[in-house]
Amino acid sequence: IDQNGAIKLKGRSGVTVFIDDKPTYLSGAELENYLKSLPAGSVKQIEIMPNPPAKYEAAGNSGVINIITKRSKTIGFHGNTVLSLQQGRYTRSNNSLNLNFNKNKLSLYANINGGFRNSFQDLNINRFYKNDQNIRTSSFSQNSFIVKDGQSVNTKVGLDYYVNDKTTIGFSAKGLLSLSGDNTDNTAFVRDVELKIINRVNADNRTDNTFDNGTFNVYLKQLLDTLGSVLTIDADYVRYNSGSDQIFKNYIYNAENIKTYEDQINGEIPSDISIYAAKADYSKPINVNTKLEAGIKSAFTKTDNEAIYSNTIDGVKKPDYGLSNRFLYDEYIHAAYININRTYGKLGLQLGLRAENTTLKGNQLGNIEQPDTNFTRTYFNLFPTFYASYQADSLGHHVWGFSFGRRIDRPFFQDLNPFIKPLDKFTFYGGNPGLLPTYSYNFSISHSFKNTINTTLSYAKTIDGINETLEIKDGIYYSRPGNISTNHTISLSIDAAADISKWYRLNMYGELGHQIFKSVLYTEQLNSSGTYASLSATNSFQIGKGWNADIRGDYQSNIVYAQLFIKSFGTLNMAIQKKILKDLGSLKLSVNDILYTRRADGIINNLRNTDADWNSRLDTRSVIVAFSYRFGKSTSNKPKHTGSGSESEQQRVKG
């Protein structure tokens, strides 16, 4: 997870994350915070699929991570609660309550999660400007101390009704409300070649954000025969509303510390996203060795984004038409797939093909200074997948595997928004309506020894990779997403689990990779490459009498990522837990980033006549106290439906 909360798998971005086969609604730092709030005890298993089968969405260049949570099988009333308090420099809390009621043909469930978060980022940015003879002419340095606060609550309620042994119908509704804010204190210095101060710029910025989501799903699951043939139909309606109120106050002082300029920028950025989706999945066992799967899906997404900016100079407030605009975007996706599984003794084969047709329409309405622009695109794609596994010995100690898949990464809806928003007078962030989808070809060869030591050699080629692009124009820094690279990644990874003794278990992961990025980038030619390594080790101890403890260490080496050179970092975490209340409850004490080494530092390359770097410290060192308690008795019951028809579309909405 990088400093912006983006998740990478095997050194590559474009990971699609699901909870119980459904989207998490969030991305970036919001997704990171949500996953941290998920109690470990509620997780049943985590599926990591670099090459998912054709029945899954083709979205996610580097694969799919699906977190499966535990489901209650209790007849009657059952539930659990988790309360936690985290203290770093600032205080955070995440809490959850899960309730279930199962009786006869009816299953009802409700999940409520809520809390607050406070944190900070201490960010330093340095830029050194040069002439065409590569001689430094001036410099810019900036410190931004950002205090972040927020509260959120998300709920889910649903029911499953078992009409008979073959037919199940159900309904679920989810709601999320998040309120957050950033207070940013910026101090920047512009210096000449002799490092004498030319200007000092102070900026006092405040941003208040709202983000709410409602998701509604209905489904039908029908068993068709005694062989296990199943037809499942899902229909979704999803609505996102977000808003951002911004106040940017800028003050410029000269070398004599006399104020020479003052202004205030006010911005309102409302956004609405609606998603309508429906899908049908069919599964049929042909015989004991062969299984057929097929399905169709249609999704329609409609977005409406607006930016309303004004500028106040010398007490006079005027509309800022250079920053203001409105952007409308519609997208239609129709898909169909077929997947066949077949076993021949020790050999297992799976072949799939997914077809998707996409039509998109964008319209930037403009204003009295900015002209209208619009575009329409249609593209059709085939996404083949192939898997083979071979059990090399009769005991299954050695299993070899091979996989291939073609994937796509469509842009986040907000990244298609062309609006530019300021951080200060020298730094602007914007979107890019011209973004194209990213395509990748993924290959892997794997070996598993006794299912405890797993080795994987992977290669991926990504075309039109979407990355953050950084440009300097007239001393102004612009950050926007762009299709800037063809990327080649090769990696070798090993994960192993060993029971050293009855009370000590060791889990280790190591990865060595090499990446190459090539692209035309504004006025420069991007041609970067680098080798990276990742290591992690988790030591788990069963101390006895209900006590257990974990010590985990992680290390990430320097890594090249398109225009960025991200410096190495490491973390050391510890936790101890005690079961209480007749093993129905537990108390856990955790300490994260004990040595305070989770830094976020790097260098920005390929800037015209400019050297740039940054370093950042976050609120990563903290202590967490958590209490969990479960109630109810476990007996068998039917599982709940976890499917959805709008997974990939929801993954493209930023929180």
Side-chain angles (χ1 to χ4, degrees), residues 344-528:
Y344 300 91
K346 297 180 179 180
L347 177 65
L349 298 175
Q350 183 177 164
L351 181 64
L353 182 65
R354 187 179 185 92
E356 293 188 353
N357 187 79
T358 303
T359 299
L360 52 92
K361 300 177 181 179
N363 186 7
Q364 184 176 352
L365 299 185
N367 52 50
I368 63 175
E369 293 183 4
Q370 305 289 330
D372 290 2
T373 59
N374 59 77
F375 60 87
T376 301
R377 302 190 191 106
T378 299
Y379 52 88
F380 176 81
N381 287 287
L382 295 175
F383 300 98
T385 54
F386 174 72
Y387 309 86
S389 64
Y390 179 70
Q391 183 176 307
D393 60 287
S394 58
L395 297 177
H397 288 173
H398 296 273
V399 178
W400 292 88
F402 172 81
S403 70
F404 162 75
R406 184 175 187 251
R407 310 285 298 165
I408 186 174
D409 238 1
R410 296 183 177 89
F412 287 113
F413 295 118
Q414 288 92 329
D415 284 347
L416 293 165
N417 186 332
F419 305 154
I420 295 175
K421 66 177 181 178
L423 176 63
D424 52 45
K425 300 295 288 186
F426 299 93
T427 307
F428 291 84
Y429 296 91
N432 182 359
L435 284 176
L436 301 173
T438 297
Y439 298 97
S440 68
Y441 299 85
N442 302 329
F443 301 83
S444 70
I445 299 174
S446 63
H447 174 261
S448 177
F449 175 66
K450 292 185 177 181
N451 204 31
T452 57
I453 301 177
N454 303 293
T455 306
T456 305
L457 177 64
S458 303
Y459 168 76
K461 179 181 179 180
T462 302
I463 301 171
D464 288 330
I466 298 175
N467 303 98
E468 179 185 10
T469 70
L470 308 165
E471 181 185 21
I472 298 286
K473 293 174 64 176
D474 300 324
I476 307 298
Y477 172 103
Y478 294 92
S479 171
R480 61 178 69 89
N483 297 102
I484 68 167
S485 66
T486 296
N487 169 226
H488 301 266
T489 302
I490 186 169
S491 66
L492 176 66
S493 62
I494 300 175
D495 65 83
D499 290 316
I500 308 301
S501 67
K502 292 182 179 180
W503 53 271
Y504 173 31
R505 181 175 178 84
L506 174 63
N507 288 271
M508 298 188 67
Y509 178 81
E511 181 180 321
L512 181 66
H514 184 77
Q515 295 195 99
I516 300 172
F517 296 88
K518 294 183 179 181
S519 178
V520 175
L521 180 63
Y522 300 116
T523 59
E524 309 301 301
Q525 177 66 41
L526 176 66
N527 190 359
S528 60

Side-chain angles (χ1 to χ4, degrees), residues 138-142 186-193 195-202 251-261 425-426:
S138 61
S139 66
F140 170 89
S141 61
Q142 174 181 284
N186 278 322
T187 302
F189 294 94
V190 180
R191 294 181 170 89
D192 62 17
V193 67
L195 300 182
K196 294 180 180 179
I197 296 176
I198 301 173
N199 287 308
R200 173 170 59 89
V201 182
N202 287 353
Y251 310 90
I252 300 179
Y253 300 83
N254 62 16
E256 288 74 36
N257 203 33
I258 299 173
K259 185 167 63 175
T260 60
Y261 180 85
K425 300 295 288 186
F426 299 93

Side-chain angles (χ1 to χ4, degrees), residues 1 7-13 15 48 50 62 65 454-460 487-496 508-515 530-537 552-561:
I1 300 177
I7 298 174
K8 293 183 174 65
L9 178 61
K10 296 186 180 298
R12 301 169 59 222
S13 63
V15 180
I48 300 178
S62 59
I65 297 176
N454 303 293
T455 306
T456 305
L457 177 64
S458 303
Y459 168 76
N487 169 226
H488 301 266
T489 302
I490 186 169
S491 66
L492 176 66
S493 62
I494 300 175
D495 65 83
M508 298 188 67
Y509 178 81
E511 181 180 321
L512 181 66
H514 184 77
Q515 295 195 99
T531 300
Y532 69 90
S534 298
L535 299 171
S536 69
R552 178 184 174 91
D554 297 277
Y555 171 75
Q556 171 68 62
S557 72
N558 296 337
I559 185 169
V560 172
Y561 194 72

Side-chain angles (χ1 to χ4, degrees), residues 18 96 111 180 206 217 235 238 243 281 316 320 381 404 408 452 457 549 555 583 590 618:
F18 296 101
S96 65
N111 314 117
S180 63
R206 173 66 187 179
N217 168 263
V238 186
D281 297 287
V316 180
D320 190 331
N381 287 287
F404 162 75
I408 186 174
T452 57
L457 177 64
Y555 171 75
D583 291 343
S590 307
L618 307 168

Side-chain angles (χ1 to χ4, degrees), residues 209-364:
N209 303 302
T210 61
F211 181 81
D212 63 81
N213 157 247
T215 300
F216 305 91
N217 168 263
V218 293
Y219 82 93
L220 166 69
K221 182 177 181 181
Q222 180 69 48
L223 298 178
L224 301 176
D225 54 41
T226 57
L227 295 177
S229 300
V230 180
L231 174 66
T232 304
I233 299 174
D234 279 275
D236 284 9
Y237 170 68
V238 186
R239 181 68 182 268
Y240 296 91
N241 294 282
S242 64
S244 179
D245 292 330
Q246 306 169 344
I247 300 176
F248 304 107
K249 299 178 181 180
N250 297 282
Y251 310 90
I252 300 179
Y253 300 83
N254 62 16
E256 288 74 36
N257 203 33
I258 299 173
K259 185 167 63 175
T260 60
Y261 180 85
E262 176 182 346
D263 74 1
Q264 177 175 311
I265 300 174
N266 291 76
E268 298 178 26
I269 307 179
S271 177
D272 294 313
I273 301 175
S274 297
I275 301 171
Y276 307 84
K279 70 170 185 174
D281 297 287
Y282 172 71
S283 174
K284 180 177 180 60
I286 305 300
N287 53 48
V288 69
N289 296 318
T290 307
K291 183 179 181 180
L292 172 68
E293 296 174 310
I296 57 174
K297 174 189 172 181
S298 288
F300 168 58
T301 302
K302 185 179 185 65
T303 71
D304 186 347
N305 306 279
E306 191 170 8
I308 307 167
Y309 279 98
S310 64
N311 206 332
T312 304
I313 303 176
D314 297 328
V316 180
K317 183 176 181 180
K318 294 182 179 180
D320 190 331
Y321 294 109
L323 296 177
S324 300
N325 219 309
R326 188 177 180 186
F327 180 64
L328 307 177
Y329 177 82
D330 296 340
E331 181 182 87
Y332 305 82
I333 299 177
H334 304 287
Y337 73 88
I338 186 170
N339 197 69
I340 299 176
N341 286 273
R342 174 73 178 176
T343 58
Y344 300 91
K346 297 180 179 180
L347 177 65
L349 298 175
Q350 183 177 164
L351 181 64
L353 182 65
R354 187 179 185 92
E356 293 188 353
N357 187 79
T358 303
T359 299
L360 52 92
K361 300 177 181 179
N363 186 7
Q364 184 176 352

